[in-house]
Amino acid sequence: MCEIGLVMRSTGLWYDILNEETGQHFRGRLRGKLKLKLKKVTNPVAVGDCVEYELENESENTVAIINILPRTNFIARKAVQKAKYRHIIAANLDLAMLVVTLAMPRTSTGFIDRFLVSAELFDLPTILVFNKLDMFDEEALEILDNYMAMYEQIGYSCLKISALKNQNMEALEKMLEGKKTLITGHSGVGKSTLLNRLSPDLHLATHEVSTFANKGVHTTTFAEMFEIKPKTYVIDTPGIKELGLVDVEQDELADYFPEIREVAENCKFYNCTHIHEPHCQVIEAVRTEEIALSRYKNYLSMFYGEDNRR
Ligand SMILES: Nc1nc2c(ncn2[C@@H]2O[C@H](COP(=O)(O)OP(=O)(O)OP(=O)(O)O)[C@@H](O)[C@H]2O)c(=O)[nH]1
Ligand SMILES: [Mg+2]
Ligand SMILES: [Zn+2]
């Protein structure tokens, strides 16, 4: 008989599968015929997928995945080695949470905006979590509040927290309740610290900022989903640097900046790139500071294909 399970983790050929109704965990692999149907992706099954499975070996708790249920959404990046392939990071997400820090390490707005473009592209609601609040003096707090105001104004919820000192963590917990949330951000921003705080049983390893010698190296670890409370899941994603690399055509890029999209309707030319055209409402809005200069600059650098992933 076939049952439905949730993919919690992938380790290459094998997948960890949770039957949400019974709470049972299994190890599953794809049945041969299924593999052939799935093209141009490096991983046919992703964390967050709902799959139909059949018990294979009861004593070893192994199952065969016989079908993947349609996804409500997914988020993908380019495959590392095969240019025309995509790697699906996770599927069926309710929310993405980008954890950022203004220092130790600093997350640039270039990286934030690139992630937000990806999230818009995949139709994924996103919240920005500014961590390490305990390290801020008054001056830094003011800068932080300005950043938050900038992103809130264009529709992204923001939260400032300290995972280490347990500040504002209840508010964060509320935002995640009953959802499947992708947690992402640069190495060292405190994702594991935060997850341990939400669910002390996880015991995730954390490490000192000074030991991140390999910031630029692709990590081969896999995304993993945790149930932090009944029906509340978070997905921890290592190696997220590549996530910024989405293929957005130049002429579509403005669509993924909500505030640019909004005023661009009134540009004189329907194919306005908002760079040099006369009577461009976007340029005008940047001039009057209705559109933040840093957002516009990041639009330009993405338009010209510059690498601002850091
Ligand atoms: N001061 C301060 N330090 C923090 C906070 N949260 C995390 N840290 C520290 O930042 C360092 C990195 O934290 P991790 O939780 O390992 O970071 P991570 O995002 O999981 O990093 P990767 O697993 O490499 O992606 C550790 O030394 C943490 O103790 C915070 O709120 N305040
Ligand atoms: Mg970590
Ligand atoms: Zn324009």
Side-chain angles (χ1 to χ4, degrees), residues 26-64:
F26 300 98
R27 271 162 30 89
R29 54 186 164 178
L30 291 182
R31 190 154 277 178
K33 268 183 263 166
L34 189 61
K35 285 183 207 162
L36 297 174
K37 282 203 294 193
L38 306 150
K39 294 206 174 114
K40 296 266 185 232
V41 287
T42 51
N43 57 332
V45 178
V47 169
D49 264 327
C50 289
V51 296
E52 288 177 343
Y53 64 81
E54 267 170 13
L55 203 57
E56 212 172 55
N57 183 323
E58 196 158 2
S59 61
E60 286 176 15
N61 249 8
T62 58
V63 300

Side-chain angles (χ1 to χ4, degrees), residues 65-280:
I65 296 170
I66 53 179
N67 193 20
I68 301 160
L69 300 186
R71 294 174 175 141
T72 58
N73 64 13
F74 65 91
I75 187 158
R77 59 169 165 79
K78 277 192 214 167
V80 179
Q81 264 125 14
K82 301 180 186 170
K84 291 214 168 112
Y85 279 64
R86 309 205 121 202
H87 181 84
I88 299 169
I89 295 163
N92 302 321
L93 298 163
D94 298 303
L95 187 68
M97 186 173 101
L98 181 63
V99 185
V100 302
T101 45
L102 295 186
M104 301 280 284
R106 180 179 137 73
T107 310
S108 69
T109 62
F111 178 79
I112 296 174
D113 291 343
R114 207 167 253 273
F115 180 82
L116 292 176
V117 166
S118 306
E120 293 283 334
L121 179 73
F122 290 108
D123 258 330
L124 199 57
T126 303
I127 56 173
L128 296 178
V129 172
F130 293 83
N131 190 27
K132 308 201 182 184
L133 189 56
D134 57 284
M135 296 174 74
F136 286 65
D137 59 17
E138 219 155 283
E139 198 182 331
L141 267 180
E142 203 180 310
I143 297 172
L144 174 70
D145 287 340
N146 287 337
Y147 272 106
M148 288 180 51
M150 170 172 90
Y151 284 107
E152 270 171 349
Q153 207 198 338
I154 54 175
Y156 298 106
S157 302
C158 297
L159 200 63
K160 48 184 173 184
I161 64 156
S162 167
L164 196 69
K165 298 282 157 72
N166 210 8
Q167 287 173 276
N168 261 349
M169 291 301 289
E170 316 79 56
L172 182 84
E173 217 174 330
K174 273 229 170 68
M175 284 179 145
L176 305 185
E177 218 162 68
K179 298 195 178 100
K180 292 194 177 83
T181 303
L182 180 87
I183 304 212
T184 173
H186 282 322
S187 184
V189 295
K191 298 179 296 297
S192 301
T193 308
L194 181 156
L195 287 174
N196 284 334
R197 179 67 70 187
L198 292 174
S199 185
D201 296 343
L202 291 178
H203 299 298
L204 298 175
T206 63
H207 51 116
E208 291 301 322
V209 176
S210 58
T211 60
F212 308 152
N214 296 331
K215 231 183 151 188
V217 176
H218 173 69
T219 148
T220 50
T221 355
F222 299 90
E224 180 165 12
M225 179 143 76
F226 303 101
E227 190 172 19
I228 55 171
K229 276 197 295 190
K231 298 277 169 210
T232 299
Y233 298 94
V234 293
I235 299 164
D236 193 12
T237 54
I240 210 66
K241 289 179 292 299
E242 292 82 0
L243 192 61
L245 286 175
V246 288
D247 301 302
V248 177
E249 298 294 326
Q250 270 188 343
D251 61 346
E252 287 178 4
L253 184 61
D255 295 341
Y256 302 113
F257 284 76
E259 76 279 41
I260 294 182
R261 181 172 67 215
E262 199 180 314
V263 301
E265 284 176 16
N266 300 318
C267 289
K268 184 169 183 194
F269 303 104
Y270 83 95
N271 57 354
C272 187
T273 61
H274 323 301
I275 294 174
H276 55 76
E277 292 86 347
H279 306 292
C280 169

